[in-house]
C-alpha cells in the first residue's frame, strides 16, 4: 500500500503516488525508479507546472526547504558527505518530465559518481526519469498497482515500495527531532 | 568601479565585490570569470557558509527567489529556452569554493552545452570556480583592482566589468516591472 493512500499525486502525467515518501504543504518527495546512486530521489511541486518561474514564492520556498529536509535524512541514512542538487528547468536543459523537479543525489568521497559520472548520467538516458516512468506506467494502471510485464520491473517496484516505507518513517523521525529542538534552523 | 562600492562581498575567501551584479537581503549574484556558456552566473548566500543546510529558512528561501529573479532577466537577455540550476553541496559533489553557490546556466535548443557538455564542464576543470578565482585574485588585491599579470585576464576583467554593469541595469528594469505589476508571482 502506498503511504499516502487517500491522495493521488502526479508527476507530470504520471501517477506516482506509490513512489512518494514525503509531502509538505506545496511539495512532495519521491523515490526514483532507477536511481543514479543509492538514495537519489526527486523533490517536486504538488502543482504540475513546468518551470521554477511558474511557482509562487511560497511554493518555491517550500520546494527547497523540502530538499534540505530530505537531505538531512538521506545524509544520516546513506552517510553522505555531500549532495548534487540539480534542476533541469526546461527541455533544452535536459528536463524529461514537464513538471518542476529537483534531483537530490547523495555523494561520498570516492563513490561511483565521481569524475563527471553523476552529471553524465543525469543528462543521459540513465537520468531520463520520463522514460523510466513510461516504461512502468501504463495508461490503465491504478494507484498502488504495479506494472506486471517484466520480472525485473516488478522486483524494482518491490524494492522501491520498501524504500518508500523506510524513507517515510525515517523522515518522520527527523521531523520529530526538529520539532523538539525547535532551533529555527534546518 | 564596482556597482556596490560601499560594501565588500566575499565568495569563500575571495573578495568578489567587482563581480557582483545583484544583491538581495541574504544573497548576491555574481558573474563568472569563465562562464561555461554565455550568461552562466552564480547565486550565493551573503553569509559564508559551506552547506545549504547551514542556511536559515529565510536565507534558503531568499537564495532561490534570487535565482528565479536572475533567471527572468537572463531569459530575456540571452533568449534562453531553459536553465541548468545546480548546487554542488559539499566537496564530494564537486564544490570548489566552500560557500553555498548555485550555478544558473541559460540553455537553448542545439546550444554548445548539449549532449552532457554542460554537466561535464561543471564537474571538470572548466567549472572549477575556486581555481579561476585563485588565478586572478592575489591576497593583496583590493576591491575593484584588476589582476594585471596577463593580458588575457585583464581583458576578461574588462569584459566582466561591462557584463556586471549591464546585468545590474537589466535586473533593475525587471525589478521595476515586478513592483509595478505586483502580481505576487515571479
Amino acid at each position: 500500500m502506498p503511504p499516502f493512500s487517500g491522495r493521488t499525486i502526479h508527476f507530470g502525467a504520471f501517477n506516482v503516488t506509490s513512489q512518494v515518501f514525503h509531502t509538505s504543504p506545496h511539495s512532495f518527495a519521491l523515490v526514483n525508479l532507477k536511481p543514479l546512486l543509492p538514495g537519489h530521489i526527486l523533490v517536486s511541486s504538488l502543482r504540475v507546472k513546468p518551470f521554477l518561474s511558474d511557482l509562487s514564492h511560497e511554493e518555491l520556498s517550500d520546494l527547497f526547504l523540502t530538499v534540505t529536509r530530505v537531505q538531512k535524512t538521506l545524509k544520516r541514512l546513506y552517510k553522505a558527505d555531500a549532495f548534487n542538487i540539480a534542476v533541469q528547468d526546461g527541455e533544452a536543459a535536459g528536463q524529461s518530465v514537464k513538471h518542476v523537479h529537483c534531483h537530490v543525489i547523495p555523494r561520498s568521497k570516492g563513490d561511483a559518481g565521481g569524475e563527471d559520472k553523476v552529471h553524465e548520467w543525469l543528462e543521459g538516458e540513465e537520468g531520463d526519469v520520463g522514460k523510466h516512468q513510461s516504461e512502468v506506467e501504463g495508461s490503465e494502471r491504478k494507484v498502488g498497482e504495479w506494472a506486471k510485464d517484466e520480472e525485473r520491473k516488478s522486483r524494482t517496484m518491490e524494492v522501491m515500495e520498501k524504500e518508500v516505507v523506510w524513507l517515510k518513517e525515517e523522515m518522520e523521525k527527523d521531523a520529530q527531532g526538529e520539532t523538539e529542538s525547535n532551533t529555527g534552523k534546518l
Side-chain angles (χ1 to χ4, degrees), chain A:
Chain A
M1 281 290 290
F4 305 97
S5 53
R7 184 175 190 174
T8 303
I9 297 176
H10 284 95
F11 177 43
F14 304 108
N15 177 345
V16 292
T17 313
S18 319
Q19 289 167 244
V20 174
F21 64 90
H22 180 74
T23 57
S24 68
H26 301 290
S27 315
F28 65 97
L30 70 157
V31 300
N32 253 303
L33 292 170
K34 296 184 179 178
L36 295 176
L37 285 173
H40 172 200
I41 63 89
L42 304 176
V43 177
S44 187
S45 55
L46 282 166
R47 273 206 305 150
V48 181
K49 289 286 172 185
F51 296 106
L52 281 177
S53 61
D54 292 323
L55 304 183
S56 69
H57 295 184
E58 205 177 330
E59 286 172 317
L60 187 72
S61 176
D62 184 76
L63 187 81
F64 288 101
L65 179 58
T66 303
V67 166
T68 58
R69 287 200 164 129
V70 171
Q71 276 185 292
K72 184 179 177 179
T73 300
L74 294 179
K75 183 181 165 71
R76 179 169 63 77
L77 299 177
Y78 290 93
K79 298 178 176 42
D81 297 323
F83 287 90
N84 284 109
I85 307 291
V87 180
Q88 296 158 308
D89 201 26
E91 208 172 336
Q95 188 188 44
S96 62
V97 173
K98 290 182 181 177
H99 183 166
V100 172
H101 58 284
C102 185
H103 293 265
V104 178
I105 310 174
R107 298 293 304 274
S108 55
K109 279 169 196 161
D111 68 17
E115 295 177 0
D116 303 349
K117 286 295 175 200
V118 156
H119 287 123
E120 208 174 292
W121 294 333
L122 197 58
E123 197 142 333
E125 196 171 299
E126 295 90 342
D128 189 339
V129 290
K131 186 163 172 286
H132 304 160
Q133 290 291 153
S134 299
E135 282 170 4
V136 297
E137 184 139 354
S139 57
E140 289 166 21
R141 196 157 83 78
K142 289 174 195 157
V143 185
E145 187 183 338
W146 304 138
K148 296 174 187 74
D149 54 343
E150 279 183 33
E151 180 59 25
R152 190 184 61 81
K153 284 172 189 167
S154 301
R155 187 167 59 80
T156 303
M157 281 297 187
E158 196 185 328
V159 170
M160 207 180 66
E161 188 184 43
K162 283 182 185 162
E163 195 188 352
V164 166
V165 172
W166 177 54
L167 289 177
K168 184 173 182 289
E169 285 171 1
E170 296 296 334
M171 283 292 294
E172 281 163 6
K173 283 184 199 168
D174 285 330
Q176 186 64 25
E178 196 171 304
T179 309
E180 282 166 5
S181 65
N182 193 26
T183 59
K185 293 274 291 187
L186 300 179

